[in-house]
């Protein structure tokens, strides 16, 4: 057994450069660990080692030149400091809140993400969640499947999306795609972002509370940073009001989840569509029985087509790095964002 354990900790013996994987990305679970295969580099899989991560990293510190991670795999300053030859971190996600950007910037380590690959999928999903909450699609599905149609009174009416006032928090690539889709429903669109965008016709609100006061629905599309953590709390939810709907396809901790749960239970807002949660994969048990909440397991970005694009982008970034060529989707670290957009 000791020999087997020792072998698991050893990297493959060839001349290809090493890419460290601390935790397998979701694509590995779907397509297998050859999904990001390339003849130009090889993976060093820390998650397969029987040894503690710190021991594994100390053993292989001199070999690692790059890291592959995902939204669920943190790349901390402590990890980075153990890897003297680290030059690149590639994440399969659009957000980079799980990477210590300050340490990467200090060390001159490049970061690459998914770029805008997931923007259209996220936008589709956000509008789908909004439609579902307003028209009670998922709740109606349960109503029929439980055999209640023939035994109870008429099903409660929903609300139309057309003509609603919708506020977008973070008018970046995802938020812009959301706005384009809502235009087809003749929605009145407003937004909050780092700054006003002269090129768009939508109303700009520099304050999220003011945005919420003037909206029937809020769609969260911003990046998670120290500034946006719990950006949506009691004050914003109260401003949204009892007829308001909130949709989150960004990051769970942007919303104060405890406050959201209480607002939903007390019907202080109309409903919520949530693809992300504050402590994933744990979901507040109170939400499970609420028909005014539609939930999904952080899969707004998951389509077959986008994952294939992701494969090409991830492999392309590593191959470019090891060939001393420009990265395909570099993330600038000099301007750490307040909001996405």
């Amino acid at each position: 057994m000791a020999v087997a354990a020792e072998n698991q900790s050893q990297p493959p013996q060839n001349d290809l450069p090493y890419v460290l994987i601390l935790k397998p990305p979701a694509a590995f679970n779907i397509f297998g660990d050859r999904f990001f295969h390339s003849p130009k580099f090889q993976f060093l899989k820390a998650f397969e080692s029987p040894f503690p991560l710190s021991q594994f990293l100390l053993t292989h510190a001199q070999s690692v030149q790059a890291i592959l991670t995902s939204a669920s795999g943190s790349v901390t300053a402590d990890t980075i400091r153990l890897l003297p030859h680290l030059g690149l971190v590639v994440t399969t996600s659009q957000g980079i809140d799980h990477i210590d950007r300050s340490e990467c910037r200090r060390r001159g380590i490049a970061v690459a993400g998914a770029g805008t690959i997931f923007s259209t999928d996220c936008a589709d999903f956000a509008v789908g969640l909004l439609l579902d909450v307003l028209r009670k699609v998922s709740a109606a599905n349960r109503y029929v499947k439980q055999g209640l149609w023939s035994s109870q009174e008429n099903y409660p009416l929903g609300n139309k999306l057309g003509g609603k006032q919708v506020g977008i928090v973070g008018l970046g690539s995802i938020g812009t795609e959301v706005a384009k889709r809502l235009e087809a429903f003749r929605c009145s669109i407003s937004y909050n972002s780092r700054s006003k965008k002269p090129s768009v016709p939508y109303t700009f609100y520099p304050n999220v509370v003011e945005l919420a006061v003037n909206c029937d629905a809020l769609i969260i599309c911003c990046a998670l940073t120290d500034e946006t953590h719990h950006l949506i709390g009691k004050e914003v939810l109260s401003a949204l009001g009892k007829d308001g709907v909130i949709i989150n396809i960004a990051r769970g901790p942007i919303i104060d989840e405890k406050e959201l749960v209480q607002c939903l239970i007390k019907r202080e807002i109309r409903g919520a569509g949530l693809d992300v949660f504050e402590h994933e994969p744990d979901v507040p048990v109170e939400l499970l029985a609420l028909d005014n909440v539609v939930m999904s397991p952080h899969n707004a970005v998951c389509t077959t087509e986008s994952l294939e694009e992701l494969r090409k982008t991830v492999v392309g970034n590593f191959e470019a790095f090891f060939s001393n060529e420009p990265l395909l989707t570099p993330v600038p670290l000099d301007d750490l964002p307040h909001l996405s957009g």
Side-chain angles (χ1 to χ4, degrees):
M1 293 296 291
V3 173
E6 182 180 354
N7 288 339
Q8 285 189 47
S9 71
Q10 294 300 317
Q13 299 299 311
N14 59 47
D15 295 331
L16 294 176
Y18 295 118
V19 174
L20 173 68
I21 306 178
L22 300 170
K23 183 178 180 180
F28 274 27
N29 299 326
I30 300 171
F31 300 105
D33 60 5
R34 290 186 62 81
F35 185 64
F36 296 121
H37 173 75
S38 168
K40 295 187 178 180
F41 56 86
Q42 60 187 319
F43 289 125
L44 186 60
K45 302 170 186 175
F47 59 89
E48 292 183 348
S49 172
F51 299 108
L53 178 61
S54 58
Q55 182 179 343
F56 181 88
L57 293 180
L58 286 172
T59 302
H60 303 297
Q62 300 299 320
S63 303
V64 174
Q65 299 182 49
I67 290 177
L68 172 63
T69 187
S70 64
S72 62
S74 296
V75 180
T76 65
D78 288 341
T79 296
I80 293 170
R81 289 168 189 151
L82 290 173
L83 304 172
H85 302 297
L86 182 64
L88 173 67
V89 177
V90 175
T91 178
T92 59
S93 62
Q94 193 154 331
I96 58 169
D97 52 278
H98 54 294
I99 300 170
D100 193 312
R101 294 162 292 182
S102 297
E103 184 65 18
C104 287
R105 181 173 56 184
R106 187 187 72 80
R107 281 271 306 275
I109 297 168
V111 175
T116 60
I117 289 172
F118 298 132
S119 296
T120 56
D121 286 339
C122 281
D124 290 345
F125 209 86
V127 176
L129 286 174
L130 181 56
L131 274 168
D132 195 329
V133 174
L134 289 173
R135 296 303 307 272
K136 306 179 186 294
V137 178
S138 292
N141 179 61
R142 289 191 294 273
Y143 180 84
V144 173
K145 287 186 174 181
Q146 291 170 4
L148 302 178
W149 192 6
S150 59
S151 61
Q152 296 190 8
E153 297 181 359
N154 293 335
Y155 189 76
L157 296 176
N159 298 91
K160 69 188 302 179
L161 174 56
K164 286 286 188 292
Q165 295 182 336
V166 181
I168 299 173
V169 182
L171 199 68
S173 60
I174 295 174
T176 299
E177 291 295 333
V178 170
K180 290 177 183 178
R181 285 151 178 75
L182 292 174
E183 286 180 350
F185 289 91
R186 296 179 291 103
C187 291
S188 176
I189 301 165
S190 52
Y191 71 100
N192 168 263
S193 201
R194 281 181 292 173
S195 58
K196 185 175 181 179
K197 297 180 179 295
S199 60
V200 302
Y202 317 128
T203 302
F204 171 71
Y205 290 98
N207 183 282
V208 180
V209 175
E210 188 179 357
L211 176 68
V213 167
N214 290 280
C215 288
D216 301 306
L218 277 183
I219 300 180
I220 312 304
C221 302
C222 62
L224 175 61
T225 67
D226 290 340
E227 292 178 281
T228 62
H229 182 269
H230 284 188
L231 177 68
I232 310 299
K234 177 66 174 177
E235 186 179 10
V236 174
L237 295 169
S238 297
L240 188 57
K242 63 182 181 64
D243 292 324
V245 172
I246 190 160
I247 305 297
N248 191 4
I249 46 82
R251 286 290 187 269
I254 295 170
I255 297 179
D256 185 332
E257 198 164 75
K258 291 182 178 179
E259 291 291 350
L260 175 62
V261 168
Q262 291 306 307
C263 285
L264 288 165
I265 291 174
K266 297 175 182 178
R267 303 283 170 167
E268 293 176 356
I269 62 174
R270 185 186 298 278
L274 307 172
D275 182 56
V276 290
F277 302 87
E278 191 161 359
H279 303 290
E280 295 176 2
D282 297 326
V283 175
V285 66
E286 299 93 333
L287 299 181
L288 303 181
L290 297 179
D291 269 349
N292 61 337
V293 181
V294 178
M295 297 178 286
S296 54
H298 200 153
N299 69 337
V301 303
C302 292
T303 66
T304 302
E305 295 84 356
S306 286
L307 287 178
E308 175 57 24
E309 286 299 311
L310 176 67
R311 184 191 66 78
K312 295 176 182 177
T313 300
V314 167
V315 172
N317 274 312
F318 283 126
E319 290 183 346
F321 172 73
F322 290 122
S323 300
N324 293 316
E325 296 176 356
L327 299 176
L328 303 184
T329 54
V331 175
L333 299 179
D334 294 331
D335 180 23
L336 301 186
H338 162 57
L339 293 179
S340 180

